[in-house]
Amino acid sequence: SSAQLKTAHKIFKESCRVDWERSIEKIHNHIRGLSPYPGAWTTLHFNDGQEMSLKIFGATIARHAHNDSIGSLSVGKKELLVAVDGGDLSLTEIQLPNKRKMKIHEALNGISIPKNAFVR
């Protein structure tokens, strides 16, 4: 066949950062497109000023109407929701610094995310 192979754009670290201002579908596709390698990432901010990098390998669209600010988190025992334009994105597989990739319920066992934490 005479189909031309197109070379993919070089992926830079900054282009793997999640832009939480985008629509829920665009964010979901961005995460899926970068998984498993090189992986989408974001910065988790804590209310005491601490921050940590967070890799995201899986997410599902959980549509809930909300009035939460973009990037704010809802933390349950087994789920981590990020408020975005169009609903909540449920993070299903993440990697914390110096840890292995984990399903969200495992990760939440090992880290306590305070109420006012957010991603940006």
Side-chain angles (χ1 to χ4, degrees), residues 50-112:
Q50 285 190 72
E51 52 185 60
M52 76 166 63
S53 186
L54 179 71
K55 277 203 159 191
I56 305 170
F57 294 99
T60 57
I61 292 176
R63 287 194 186 280
H64 301 124
H66 63 74
N67 300 315
D68 301 330
S69 53
I70 300 292
S72 62
L73 303 176
S74 303
V75 186
K77 281 202 185 324
K78 296 192 172 184
E79 72 174 359
L80 180 58
L81 300 176
V82 182
V84 297
D85 182 18
D88 286 320
L89 205 60
S90 178
L91 305 187
T92 56
E93 194 170 22
I94 64 172
Q95 187 173 13
L96 298 161
N98 308 315
K99 303 273 191 206
R100 62 182 173 79
K101 193 191 309 189
M102 286 183 256
K103 297 287 183 207
I104 196 67
H105 65 272
E106 296 178 273
L108 291 173
N109 278 339
I111 181 178
S112 71

Side-chain angles (χ1 to χ4, degrees), residues 32-49:
R32 283 192 324 173
L34 293 171
S35 184
Y37 184 82
W41 66 279
T42 190
T43 305
L44 186 56
H45 295 265
F46 297 96
N47 34 6
D48 61 3

